[in-house]
Amino acid sequence: MNESSVATDEELLRQHALDALTAARARTALLTGCVDERELTAQHSPLMSPLVWDLAHVGNQEEQWLLRAVAGFEAIRPDIDPVYDAFEHPRAERPSLPLLSPAESRAYASEIRDRVLDVLEKHPLRGGPLVDAGFAFGMIAQHEQQHDETMLITHQLRSGPAALDAPEPPRGGMAGLPTEVLVPAGRFTMGTSTEPWALDNERPAHPRELPAYFLDTAPVTNSAFQDFIDAGGYTDERWWADEGWAQIREHGIEAPLFWRREGGQWLRRRFGVTEPVPPDEPVLHVSWYEADAYARWAGRRLPTEAEWEKAARHDPVSGRSRRYPWGDADPAPDRANLGQRHLRPAPAGAYPEGASPLGVRQLIGDVWEWTASDFLPYPGFTAFPYREYSEVFFGGNHKVLRGGSFAVDPVACRGTFRNWDLPVRRQIFAGFRTARDA
């Protein structure tokens, strides 16, 4: 490759990183600019940080990785590092910390970003794993978008009138579609060793051999989940893991989070608006235990993480694993419901342009999908650039979620992307689909 080609590639990378950072900051500004100072500093749930903590935290991470680690600059605000260390303070304790005010947080994040853009313009995007292909810039863009999703969860948990708005998603429909798809037995490549901004837990690529199985064409809908409720699913211990049964009995759980029954129908609260539960949308705000209980009741099971990824990426014609179900092209609005574009899942069966080679729909976007798998490292895993991103969470306490939700930005969502959470979590934008052995 000649010097001109290298320069062109670097300029394209710089523009890609700039676009990703700019999109993340614009979304942060939207989520923190649509409410007043009181709402920004309040803790709307002990499960979540005050919005103002997230606002300064993304700036602090940007300073630590892009100004200090990449550019080698002296620390601008070393005094606030402990305050915004996510591993130092649980979310429930963060309101009691000496947090920057909303104005101070915005000024700090803005100052950091101005300096980062200067670094991005001048720093070589090669010469080490942290900067090769602009990795650190991509990592920070993903980090901010992940916190934007967290802030959107906080907006869902907050009381009061709606502060956000978005157009309706495209219509869908399962008419003419099979309820499930056969995924043939065989080997496929799981994970990646080539995606430039993939995070450590997605690496390395490795072969997996799976027997044949059936997978739902689309995520389980609200209507189908209501059948489980109506059949006494929440009162029948047979369907529940021991820990899940204890959880629903202790907390009196009878339906997905934010649902309530009134006047003979199910209603839900969604970003400050109360509305009838739409029957054809994928069910949302269910824990892993609820998903697992439904699957057992239906005579099925949750798919493993490997089964999910094979259905999403494997092309049976070429034998290769794609970046996304539809191919290698980046997500587009006609392929997946991402980026907070619609503030809700699209109906089951939507996005035919985003289907996998076998015809599975909505594997990317709409709802995070619980899998049966514990969050574990791939063979040959190496922590990078810090253990606390993935390694400290490995083990049997966390379950893997795949596919992203309507709240996930495309930069933080791909066919190899792995999310994880505790099986009790319900506030996240999670649903599921089921599988069965062939």
Side-chain angles (χ1 to χ4, degrees):
M1 184 179 291
N2 59 41
E3 290 186 10
S4 176
S5 297
V6 171
T8 300
D9 288 347
E10 280 216 5
E11 288 312 305
L12 290 173
L13 276 172
R14 288 185 210 284
Q15 188 61 51
H16 181 43
L18 175 61
D19 291 345
L21 290 168
T22 301
R25 187 52 50 86
R27 188 176 175 199
T28 300
L30 170 66
L31 290 164
T32 57
C34 63
V35 290
D36 60 25
E37 184 165 328
R38 181 184 62 82
E39 296 272 24
L40 285 174
T41 55
Q43 185 173 47
H44 299 281
S45 165
L47 296 173
M48 311 304 291
S49 310
L51 291 168
V52 74
W53 185 91
D54 290 285
L55 176 57
H57 170 77
V58 296
N60 185 248
Q61 287 291 292
E62 194 165 327
E63 181 191 350
Q64 290 193 46
W65 286 103
L66 300 185
L67 297 188
R68 302 182 202 173
V70 170
F73 293 171
E74 290 293 321
I76 296 172
R77 290 295 304 268
D79 56 307
I80 65 172
D81 289 355
V83 175
Y84 295 101
D85 185 336
F87 294 93
E88 185 75 20
H89 306 285
R91 289 175 174 174
E93 297 178 2
R94 290 172 188 171
S96 64
L97 299 174
L99 303 179
L100 300 181
S101 70
E104 291 170 329
S105 298
R106 289 190 178 98
Y108 169 64
S110 179
E111 178 185 1
I112 298 303
R113 175 55 58 87
D114 287 344
R115 299 188 185 206
V116 161
L117 295 183
D118 190 54
V119 171
L120 176 60
E121 183 180 349
K122 299 173 182 177
H123 201 283
L125 300 184
R126 61 187 186 278
L130 197 59
V131 293
D132 285 347
F135 174 81
F137 297 94
M139 178 184 73
I140 287 301
Q142 292 178 79
H143 172 264
E144 183 162 352
Q145 287 285 5
Q146 287 170 318
H147 275 271
D148 288 338
E149 182 179 10
T150 299
M151 288 192 280
L152 191 61
I153 293 170
T154 301
H155 273 277
Q156 170 63 10
L157 287 163
R158 60 178 282 273
S159 59
L164 297 166
D165 191 23
E168 294 295 301
R171 299 304 302 163
M174 294 294 291
L177 295 176
T179 58
E180 62 180 2
V181 170
L182 174 65
V183 182
R187 176 174 291 203
F188 82 105
T189 300
M190 187 171 184
T192 180
S193 297
T194 58
E195 186 74 29
W197 288 359
L199 304 170
D200 59 2
N201 63 68
E202 301 170 63
R203 302 173 181 270
H206 58 284
R208 293 294 301 269
E209 188 84 27
L210 294 178
Y213 59 97
F214 286 94
L215 185 69
D216 288 341
T217 300
V220 170
T221 63
N222 290 321
S223 176
F225 200 83
Q226 285 179 41
D227 291 340
F228 169 68
I229 299 173
D230 293 342
Y234 278 94
T235 60
D236 193 334
E237 188 176 358
R238 288 179 298 165
W239 314 127
W240 296 83
D242 291 343
E243 299 86 350
W245 182 247
Q247 184 77 9
I248 67 160
R249 304 318 294 167
E250 178 183 353
H251 297 283
I253 296 171
E254 299 177 335
L257 187 62
F258 306 115
W259 285 29
R260 75 171 191 267
R261 194 154 207 155
E262 186 176 295
Q265 69 172 337
W266 284 106
L267 304 177
R268 72 176 182 187
R269 183 168 57 81
R270 181 179 62 86
F271 300 111
V273 175
T274 298
E275 61 189 13
V277 171
D280 55 352
E281 278 187 16
V283 68
L284 195 61
H285 297 302
V286 290
S287 69
W288 183 90
Y289 292 123
E290 290 166 287
D292 179 62
Y294 173 95
R296 296 190 201 199
W297 168 80
R300 298 170 69 84
R301 58 178 175 80
L302 294 179
T304 66
E305 181 182 12
E307 287 173 333
W308 187 96
E309 185 166 328
K310 183 175 183 180
R313 298 185 63 217
H314 182 63
D315 182 351
V317 175
S318 67
R320 63 181 289 270
S321 288
R322 302 169 162 193
R323 295 179 67 214
Y324 298 97
W326 55 82
D328 293 338
D330 289 339
D334 64 336
R335 291 179 178 142
N337 181 7
L338 294 167
Q340 197 181 312
R341 194 164 53 241
H342 298 299
L343 283 178
R344 66 192 301 161
Y351 297 102
E353 296 300 316
S356 75
L358 294 174
V360 186
R361 301 283 181 99
Q362 294 166 284
L363 286 158
I364 298 293
D366 287 304
V367 295
W368 285 108
E369 297 183 21
W370 289 110
T371 72
S373 300
D374 296 333
F375 184 48
L376 299 171
Y378 289 159
F381 168 84
T382 301
F384 176 78
Y386 59 106
R387 290 184 61 248
E388 290 80 6
Y389 181 72
S390 303
E391 188 175 350
V392 297
F393 296 102
F394 289 147
N397 292 333
H398 295 85
K399 294 294 184 181
V400 175
L401 301 105
R402 287 303 206 102
S405 73
F406 67 88
V408 174
D409 187 80
V411 77
C413 183
R414 47 196 163 263
T416 57
F417 194 93
R418 307 172 75 197
N419 190 9
W420 65 95
D421 215 326
L422 298 172
V424 299
R425 290 290 185 246
R426 309 175 78 224
Q427 83 277 15
I428 60 178
F429 300 114
F432 64 100
R433 71 180 76 213
T434 67
R436 67 180 176 96
D437 299 340

